[in-house]
Amino acid sequence: MNAVRTPVIFARKDELLEIAEDEEKRKSFLAKMRRPLEYVVNWGVKSSLWMYAFGLACCSIEMMAFGAARWDSDRYGIIARGTPRQSDLMIVGGAVTYQMAPRMKRLYDQMAQPRYVIAMGECAINGGPFWDSYSVVKGTDKVIPVDVVVPGCPANPEALFDGIIKLQEKILKGELAR
């Protein structure tokens, strides 16, 4: 009859020493413990996104509504910060001009790691109605990496919530490790 081994968490001292001494058992133990720890860390990151609102045009009004009482972004653990150094989520809303692009890149570089970007609205995604203008960048992804895009002109707060939920799902699965 096979003896049932107790879980490692409740293991006796001699079993833990055996795991520590045997190289193969130690690697197996660490491999089993790695995934749950990654999940817990990713859950913590997903549940405490600190947002830096980079509003450039009409989408910034919808972003303000997103943080107001009706939609209340605090329920999802998204707290707005006024500085990029305390933020890990940048929401770009509006047309990015070539004059604004280096400033946006500098603010992105100042953000805490890991950092995520949501492009909100058609202007931020591909230039929108200004796509043929000489002064508008043809998408935020030409300047900084974008994780989630939220379509619409302007994108409403419900669409922004949907984009944030998609971002949180990607973070939880570990797809956005940087």
Side-chain angles (χ1 to χ4, degrees), residues 52-56 84 88-94 96-98 100-111 115-120 124-126 137-149 178:
Y52 179 66
F54 195 73
L56 299 169
D88 54 3
L89 168 64
M90 177 186 277
I91 300 177
V92 180
V96 179
T97 61
Y98 284 106
M100 188 58 76
R103 292 160 181 86
M104 181 174 67
K105 175 71 172 144
R106 184 181 313 140
L107 291 171
Y108 174 78
D109 290 338
Q110 291 176 359
M111 289 173 57
R115 49 188 170 208
Y116 310 103
V117 177
I118 293 178
M120 177 182 177
I125 296 170
N126 61 10
V137 177
K138 308 299 186 272
T140 305
D141 58 337
K142 305 286 191 264
V143 183
I144 57 177
V146 174
D147 299 307
V148 175
V149 294
R178 293 188 181 165

Side-chain angles (χ1 to χ4, degrees), residues 115-175:
R115 49 188 170 208
Y116 310 103
V117 177
I118 293 178
M120 177 182 177
E122 296 302 321
C123 295
I125 296 170
N126 61 10
F130 311 109
W131 64 271
D132 61 346
S133 173
Y134 67 93
S135 62
V136 175
V137 177
K138 308 299 186 272
T140 305
D141 58 337
K142 305 286 191 264
V143 183
I144 57 177
V146 174
D147 299 307
V148 175
V149 294
V150 178
C153 186
N156 55 11
E158 292 93 351
L160 183 56
F161 257 128
D162 186 51
I164 287 178
I165 289 171
K166 296 234 185 324
L167 178 69
Q168 288 177 337
E169 288 171 357
K170 285 183 175 185
I171 291 170
L172 194 60
K173 290 178 186 173
E175 295 175 4

